[in-house]
Amino acid sequence: MENDVSEEAQTPPSTELSKAYDHRDVEPRWYRTWLERGYFHADEDDRSRPAFSIVLPPPNVTGSLHLGHALTATIQDILIRWKRMSGFNVLWLPGTDHAGIATQMVVEKELQKTEKKSRHDLGREEFLRRVWAWKEQYGSRIGVQHQALGASLDWQRERFTMDEGLSRAVREVFVRLWEEGLVYRAKKLINWCPRCHTALSDLEVNHEENHPGELWSFAYPLADGSGEIGVATTRPETMLGDTAIAVHPDDERWRAVVGRNVRHPLTGREFPVVADAVLVDPKFGTGAVKVTPAHDFNDFEVAQRHGLPLLSVIGPDGRMTAEAGPFQGMDRFEARKAVKAALAEKGLERGAKPHLLALGRCQRCETVLEPLLSDQWYVKIEPLARPAIAAVEEGRTRFIPEGWTNTYMAWMRNIHDWCISRQLWWGHQIPAWYCPGGHATVSRTTPESCATCGERALHQDEDVLDTWFSSALWPFSTLGWPDRTKELETFYPTSVMETGHDIIFFWVARMMMMGIHFMGDVPFRTVFLHPMVRDEKGQKMSKTKGNVIDPLDITGKYGADALRFTLAALTSAQGRDIKLAKDRIEGFRAFANKLWNATRFALMNLDGAPDPSRAAELARTPADRWLLARLARAVNATVDALEAYRFDEAASTVYRFCWNDLCDWYIELSKEALFGEDAEKKAGAQAVLAHALDTALRLLHPMMPFVTEELWQMLGQRVGGGRWAPSLLEAAYPARRPVDEGAERSFGPVLGVIEAIRNVRGEMNVPWKSVFHGVEVGGLSAEALATLRLEQGRVERLGNVQGLVLHEAGRPAGRRPQCAVSVGDGFEVLIPLAGAVDMAAETARVDKEIARLAAEADGVAKRLANPSFVERAPREVVEEARARVEELGEKRRNLEAHRALLSGDAAPVVAPAPAAVATPAPVAPLARREPDRLAVRQKANLIRKPAGKMVKKGGAEMVRRSPGALALPAPKARPGAKRKAAVKGKKVAPKRPTPKRKPAVKGKGVPTKKKTGASKRRPARR
């Protein structure tokens, strides 16, 4: 690949990492490099590799990046980078939509504001010139914003729905559908926006349910003066267009008047009473219904069944027409009041009552829509829908989450013809021309004469096509259709359509119909519908609520990697809505810093390191083999999750390995070998550390592309030896590999015992300087016992234990009063507390805390018992109070169990310890826990900061958990680490886990071999 690469892009970064990660330097630098090297460009001639393609849902050209765009770009870029690294010929095609109504409104507002003119003052040609000029000036904004997110789009193929090629495709589709009898023009009732002055499809209507209104009743006198028929309506002004009264044919009350006429009390017109079993419910109201065919969709169908006239009394401007008689020129809502007054004056008012009704509003401007009779263009949908239904039934396209399949099917099987004409100027002008005789000529090019009568005086239809019409062709028109291009042959059908579930009908269904009809195959194999992004309380984001999170502000403050990883960690294949809080994003910025500092440590200790690919061969210690096993398991789980579109599980798996296994455990464990004199162990530790970092960075790259690229380049300069690819974009994604389950089984209990001791120390408020004597470990397998004997010195150092007792294989640790017992998968630990804990002082503290919790719980319970609070307080406040009661109850139960231990009545329950086993339980996604940055515990009046430094602080102990662990379950809980409690034969609910131990790699410097030897190094505190 030949590229014009700048000198800056060719210059490798320094091998020295700064003390802190600065995304503001790294992100723009690497994105510029990727672009200059042409990494994002797909090769349509390459048939040697399998193709993988996605077309970006085209954002409106008027738009600015919001969280929905950010989520789409993140999920698609994860798939794209993963497949690119996995050896696929990848195309991710960008583009924008001309957004007919939105763009025209923006330019019209600007025109009115700056020149006090309307589009009609300029004329169509000049107005369109102004719109194109606006597009050229502002239309690229959202593309630049996507680049800030790291989106690896093929920008050389960027398209616009009104560019020359796509405009040709739109005209070709319209003409072919016309020739096939699938496009027609007809006078029908449509949704009309009096403000936007255009027709809208049913999908472009926002339905406001339960709008407060009234049901107003009045009487129609029979024409012969023999009586009256009472009716009710929520829109009295429409009675000026009534052309019938409908009753049920089986209603005895009205059977005698069917076929007779009533007289309109305000216009004098006479019209019939008809029997209609479809429209009328005889149990509702009087059993008689007024029929206004030109202003109600149901009434229009009645008119078709009974041959009733259609009388339009409301015009396109929302004002009453000449057919409204004396009310002509009035606004429709003014006419409502006037009609009611006129009927009341004639003594025909029959009362009113409150009524909740459904209002249709314009999706764009929120104006109340008006059903109007109008000549419009339609697509006959049913013949197009049948093959699109069959494609999903046959499995040629699948939906994720699967539940959306039923939604798609239900809509497609009850679909109506699609109104595709819009009364706008900006858009694809309908390729139909009319002669004075009213004949329509549809043509790919401007015709010279009428196809019906030969008349040469023609004028083109002034309407444009619905914006969604051109968008429906997006997967194939962007690849060069109607020509048979290499891009179409290579990349169609596309692989995945990732978009929001709110446009499954607007867009996904229509792309299915058009793609199958014109290409003979589905437009995509998989449809992944992402959830809605809400605020941290689950509320929809809106400017009025002040809870909108601007992704550009977030990337500027925390970096694109932090936002991307947060969104990935919260996106499940089950489609649960995302609750996004800035604390989560801040936490994953800390994750980037954690990786940065871990790599700094590695680079300082990899001088003379062997080839990382020899890690398995050179591994000498149980810790080495354990980390390689954990790495293999993480790789396998991540690939499985990505293939199943479980992005949250993929993120959780990589996070756990990097934070827990690599940074918190292995870096600490490796120091003895790295700083020691055993050359073989040192080489093994170096190879394992470099290999784990290399693999982890490649595994994480699709989710956090910038920091991983920077660190991987640094690592490659130290240990790559010329074998490193120029970029992670050209590196291979880690492939599935066998897992050394024996290494996990044998070494897992070593870590489990250390963690159990540390957890007890934290739960029982035992200071680090207090030594545990006579700790017993039992319940071990033969291989775990052998490993523990090898690692006994390490366990004693890291747990501050003297005289660790290891029981023979299979023998339990036993139970004794005033001893903490921790039971993990494959081990038991018994920890004597006498002499290490001041029982009297701890008992007094616990009693005081139990009393405080009881008082607080009683106060919250009283609030919840107050009906006024439950009914009037916001729902989230009530739910928060209920959750608080449960939380306080759990804390109290745990303290009572702790109190029982202090009195000698029971053994305590401690937090889960890590036990890596062969068949781990499913990984719990990061998204399933709410942020918990500060856990308050009444302990030793200490505050533990992220770096591990302990300082005094009055009051409660504030355990500040590392921000990167915001959403994780219990710290150090590894797959399969099922904890049990042994309290005199009874199971007791586990206590909350202790805070994370001091990170092995800190933000301020890393100890080197010269400064600190492993034997002198004090174990990290928990």
Side-chain angles (χ1 to χ4, degrees):
M1 181 184 298
E2 294 183 2
N3 297 99
D4 182 17
V5 183
S6 69
E7 182 178 347
E8 180 182 3
Q10 293 175 336
T11 303
S14 168
T15 55
E16 293 299 324
L17 284 178
S18 60
K19 291 185 177 181
Y21 173 54
D22 185 358
H23 66 271
R24 291 165 296 188
D25 166 59
V26 171
E27 293 180 355
R29 170 161 50 82
W30 274 113
Y31 197 87
R32 186 168 58 249
T33 300
W34 293 330
L35 277 180
E36 291 171 343
R37 294 180 181 177
Y39 287 140
F40 304 161
H41 189 59
D43 185 356
E44 68 274 15
D45 293 316
D46 185 356
R47 304 298 173 87
S48 65
R49 297 177 293 160
F52 183 86
S53 58
I54 297 177
V55 289
L56 180 75
N60 287 353
V61 71
T62 58
S64 182
L65 194 76
H66 57 62
L67 278 173
H69 297 134
L71 178 59
T72 292
T74 295
I75 298 307
Q76 291 191 5
D77 201 31
I78 289 173
L79 294 171
I80 287 293
R81 288 177 183 266
W82 166 47
K83 289 296 185 179
R84 188 183 283 124
M85 294 174 69
S86 299
F88 284 72
N89 183 16
V90 169
L91 168 65
W92 189 16
L93 192 147
T96 50
D97 190 282
H98 65 277
I101 296 177
T103 306
Q104 181 162 312
M105 286 180 64
V106 167
V107 178
E108 283 191 276
K109 287 180 180 178
E110 183 68 19
L111 188 64
Q112 183 63 38
K113 180 180 178 181
T114 58
E115 301 181 33
K116 307 299 181 185
K117 292 181 180 179
S118 70
R119 60 185 168 108
H120 299 285
D121 295 328
L122 296 183
R124 185 168 192 146
E125 184 177 348
E126 175 60 18
F127 178 75
L128 290 179
R129 190 190 68 78
R130 298 284 189 97
V131 180
W132 277 107
W134 183 94
K135 185 265 178 188
E136 292 303 315
Q137 183 175 359
Y138 299 107
S140 62
R141 288 180 305 183
I142 200 161
V144 174
Q145 292 164 350
H146 271 89
Q147 293 183 14
L149 278 176
S152 58
L153 288 150
D154 189 345
W155 294 107
Q156 296 178 46
R157 287 191 167 92
E158 185 175 12
R159 303 304 300 268
F160 177 55
T161 50
M162 283 184 63
D163 67 31
E164 184 178 350
L166 269 63
S167 295
R168 176 176 166 232
V170 167
R171 181 172 288 198
E172 181 67 25
V173 165
F174 185 92
V175 174
R176 285 196 196 181
L177 291 175
W178 166 264
E179 293 171 345
E180 295 167 3
L182 295 176
V183 159
Y184 64 94
R185 191 168 188 257
K187 185 182 286 293
K188 289 187 179 183
L189 209 59
I190 48 91
N191 298 297
W192 181 267
C193 177
R195 182 177 176 184
C196 296
H197 295 284
T198 185
L200 300 174
S201 72
D202 292 341
L203 294 176
E204 294 169 297
V205 179
N206 285 340
H207 296 281
E208 179 188 347
E209 302 295 335
N210 300 319
H211 180 82
E214 69 171 2
L215 191 64
W216 194 78
S217 300
F218 67 99
Y220 269 114
L222 289 166
D224 59 9
S226 62
E228 65 178 32
I229 299 178
V231 295
T233 180
T234 59
R235 300 197 299 157
E237 71 280 7
T238 62
M239 62 88 63
L240 297 169
D242 287 354
T243 59
I245 300 293
V247 297
H248 197 279
D250 298 331
D251 192 336
E252 294 292 341
R253 295 172 294 175
W254 303 115
R255 183 170 293 178
V257 301
V258 174
R260 296 167 63 183
N261 284 351
V262 296
R263 179 177 290 109
H264 198 291
L266 301 181
T267 66
R269 289 184 295 104
E270 292 188 9
F271 45 82
V273 178
V274 299
D276 194 288
V278 178
L279 178 70
V280 181
D281 178 2
K283 298 178 182 179
F284 182 78
T286 65
V289 178
K290 61 187 286 295
V291 179
T292 318
H295 297 285
D296 184 276
F297 290 97
N298 292 324
D299 293 0
F300 180 82
E301 299 298 328
V302 174
Q304 301 303 302
R305 291 193 290 270
H306 296 277
L308 301 175
L310 308 176
L311 196 63
S312 295
V313 295
I314 302 175
D317 58 357
R319 294 186 174 275
M320 309 307 289
T321 68
E323 297 287 355
F327 304 94
Q328 180 182 358
M330 287 187 180
D331 177 81
R332 52 185 169 157
F333 299 117
E334 295 175 1
R336 179 174 299 177
K337 298 176 183 178
V339 166
K340 289 168 64 176
L343 289 172
E345 185 178 344
K346 290 181 177 293
L348 295 174
E349 181 182 6
R350 295 295 179 263
K353 61 180 180 180
H355 182 71
L356 297 178
L357 61 147
L359 280 184
R361 294 186 179 272
C362 175
Q363 188 184 62
R364 183 60 57 184
C365 68
E366 288 296 312
T367 299
V368 176
L369 299 178
E370 191 64 46
L372 287 186
L373 199 62
S374 176
D375 285 312
Q376 301 289 339
W377 289 89
Y378 294 86
V379 173
K380 191 178 294 183
I381 286 293
E382 194 273 337
L384 298 173
R386 284 197 306 268
I389 292 171
V392 175
E393 289 177 333
E394 295 164 4
R396 287 186 285 143
T397 294
R398 62 170 180 151
F399 283 85
I400 300 174
E402 190 175 349
W404 287 108
T405 304
N406 295 331
T407 304
Y408 168 86
M409 289 295 194
W411 188 74
M412 293 290 278
R413 288 176 175 141
N414 295 279
I415 200 168
H416 299 286
D417 287 356
W418 174 16
C419 177
I420 56 172
S421 48
R422 297 291 180 271
Q423 288 63 53
L424 304 169
W425 287 357
W426 174 245
H428 296 100
Q429 193 168 356
I430 292 174
W433 287 260
Y434 305 101
C435 68
H439 305 132
T441 299
V442 174
S443 174
R444 292 170 179 82
T445 59
T446 303
E448 294 183 357
S449 61
C450 175
T452 302
C453 65
E455 172 65 49
R456 300 181 66 85
L458 302 176
H459 68 277
Q460 188 174 358
D461 195 312
E462 293 189 355
D463 291 352
V464 300
L465 289 166
D466 179 9
T467 297
W468 293 104
F469 188 88
S470 54
S471 297
L473 321 181
W474 191 249
F476 58 93
S477 65
T478 53
L479 297 176
W481 188 92
D483 297 328
R484 294 300 304 181
T485 63
K486 291 181 179 179
E487 286 83 358
L488 275 173
E489 293 175 5
T490 304
F491 298 113
Y492 189 93
T494 63
S495 306
V496 179
M497 171 48 60
E498 193 281 338
T499 189
H501 59 72
D502 53 332
I503 57 174
I504 186 173
F505 309 130
F506 278 112
W507 195 39
V508 175
R510 290 166 176 170
M511 284 189 289
M512 286 288 289
M513 291 186 282
M514 294 297 188
I516 292 172
H517 188 75
F518 289 100
M519 292 296 299
D521 201 354
V522 296
F524 23 73
R525 300 300 185 194
T526 299
V527 179
F528 181 82
L529 298 171
H530 66 237
M532 178 179 288
V533 183
R534 299 179 178 273
D535 71 6
E536 59 189 310
K537 296 181 179 178
Q539 299 293 312
K540 187 175 181 179
M541 293 187 186
S542 69
K543 292 181 180 178
T544 55
K545 293 181 180 177
N547 62 349
V548 173
I549 297 178
D550 186 336
L552 298 178
D553 291 343
I554 294 298
T555 56
K557 184 174 182 179
Y558 302 111
D561 282 339
L563 176 60
R564 287 169 60 112
F565 195 82
T566 304
L567 293 172
L570 298 174
T571 301
S572 73
Q574 286 71 46
R576 292 184 296 269
D577 280 354
I578 291 174
K579 295 181 181 179
L580 185 63
K582 290 183 180 179
D583 279 352
R584 289 186 183 274
I585 304 167
E586 183 181 0
F588 291 124
R589 179 180 64 175
F591 178 41
N593 288 331
K594 185 87 165 181
L595 291 170
W596 186 269
N597 288 326
T599 307
R600 284 188 73 229
F601 172 83
L603 293 176
M604 296 171 69
N605 292 281
L606 289 179
D607 287 339
D611 183 352
S613 64
R614 298 178 59 201
E617 170 196 342
L618 298 175
R620 289 292 180 267
T621 68
D624 292 342
R625 291 188 287 272
W626 170 82
L627 185 73
L628 294 176
R630 300 299 299 160
L631 176 61
R633 192 173 294 285
V635 168
N636 297 347
T638 302
V639 173
D640 288 346
L642 289 175
E643 289 183 345
Y645 297 87
R646 297 193 300 267
F647 300 100
D648 55 343
E649 293 184 21
S652 177
T653 300
V654 182
Y655 179 98
R656 289 169 186 274
F657 173 79
C658 292
W659 192 289
N660 295 341
D661 297 336
L662 178 59
C663 296
D664 276 2
W665 278 118
Y666 185 74
I667 285 181
E668 180 71 29
L669 298 171
S670 69
K671 290 174 182 176
E672 183 174 336
L674 292 173
F675 302 156
E677 301 301 326
D678 189 321
E680 286 192 359
K681 285 186 177 181
K682 179 176 180 179
Q686 287 179 320
V688 169
L689 180 57
H691 174 68
L693 269 175
D694 163 39
T695 307
L697 292 171
R698 285 186 285 127
L699 202 63
L700 182 60
H701 177 74
M703 290 171 264
M704 302 181 82
F706 293 110
V707 68
T708 53
E709 181 75 271
E710 181 79 357
L711 296 177
W712 194 76
Q713 294 289 338
M714 300 290 188
L715 185 65
Q717 290 181 50
R718 185 61 57 89
V719 300
R723 299 175 299 273
W724 237 240
S727 167
L728 270 173
L729 291 168
E730 294 188 85
Y733 198 76
R736 290 187 182 89
R737 58 199 66 185
V739 178
D740 185 350
E741 297 177 351
E744 287 185 309
R745 281 194 304 267
S746 64
F747 195 71
V750 175
L751 304 182
V753 170
I754 296 171
E755 185 72 359
I757 295 169
R758 288 172 165 176
N759 285 348
V760 168
R761 191 178 291 279
E763 290 294 323
M764 299 303 299
N765 192 31
V766 179
W768 174 255
K769 64 182 180 180
S770 296
V771 180
F772 282 135
H773 296 272
V775 173
E776 301 178 27
V777 181
L780 297 165
S781 66
E783 59 183 350
L785 176 60
T787 303
L788 259 171
R789 282 174 174 161
L790 289 174
E791 300 287 336
Q792 182 167 346
R794 189 198 302 272
V795 173
E796 290 179 338
R797 287 195 304 275
L798 296 180
N800 198 12
V801 171
Q802 286 186 3
L804 184 69
V805 178
L806 301 178
H807 291 287
E808 292 300 318
R811 179 184 168 188
R815 305 288 187 272
R816 290 197 299 275
Q818 294 189 348
C819 288
V821 178
S822 178
V823 182
D825 197 339
F827 68 92
E828 295 180 359
V829 184
L830 184 140
I831 305 170
L833 300 175
V837 177
D838 185 334
M839 297 295 185
E842 181 69 1
T843 298
R845 185 194 67 79
V846 170
D847 286 342
K848 183 178 180 180
E849 178 65 5
I850 290 174
R852 188 191 67 80
L853 292 174
E856 183 181 349
D858 184 58
V860 179
K862 287 180 179 178
R863 292 176 67 200
L864 290 171
N866 184 349
S868 178
F869 168 74
V870 175
E871 293 171 4
R872 297 181 181 179
R875 181 174 58 86
E876 59 269 20
V877 173
V878 176
E879 293 301 320
E880 190 175 305
R882 288 172 177 159
R884 182 60 177 161
V885 169
E886 294 181 9
E887 180 186 0
L888 292 170
E890 181 183 357
K891 288 181 177 180
R892 182 176 176 178
R893 288 189 295 273
N894 290 341
L895 283 173
E896 287 171 346
H898 183 35
R899 178 69 173 78
L901 164 73
L902 296 172
S903 64
D905 296 333
V909 181
V910 297
V917 294
T919 54
V923 176
L926 282 72
R928 296 183 184 174
R929 281 177 63 96
E930 294 301 311
D932 185 14
R933 299 188 64 239
L934 295 177
V936 181
R937 298 182 186 177
Q938 299 287 341
K939 295 282 184 172
N941 300 326
L942 298 173
I943 178 167
R944 178 172 298 169
K945 295 188 174 181
K949 185 177 180 181
M950 310 290 283
V951 296
K952 291 287 184 179
K953 185 175 180 69
E957 177 190 355
M958 305 295 287
V959 183
R960 185 180 296 274
R961 296 177 181 168
S962 175
L966 293 179
L968 285 173
K972 293 291 183 282
R974 283 179 171 73
K978 300 177 180 177
R979 298 288 299 157
K980 303 174 185 177
V983 183
K984 289 190 175 181
K986 297 181 180 180
K987 292 183 177 181
V988 182
K991 285 182 178 290
R992 294 181 65 180
T994 57
K996 275 189 174 293
R997 66 186 176 89
K998 186 176 181 180
V1001 183
K1002 305 178 186 64
K1004 295 186 177 180
V1006 180
T1008 64
K1009 180 177 178 180
K1010 293 180 179 180
K1011 292 182 179 180
T1012 309
S1015 61
K1016 298 179 181 179
R1017 191 169 166 76
R1018 186 174 179 179
R1021 286 176 136 187
R1022 295 293 295 172

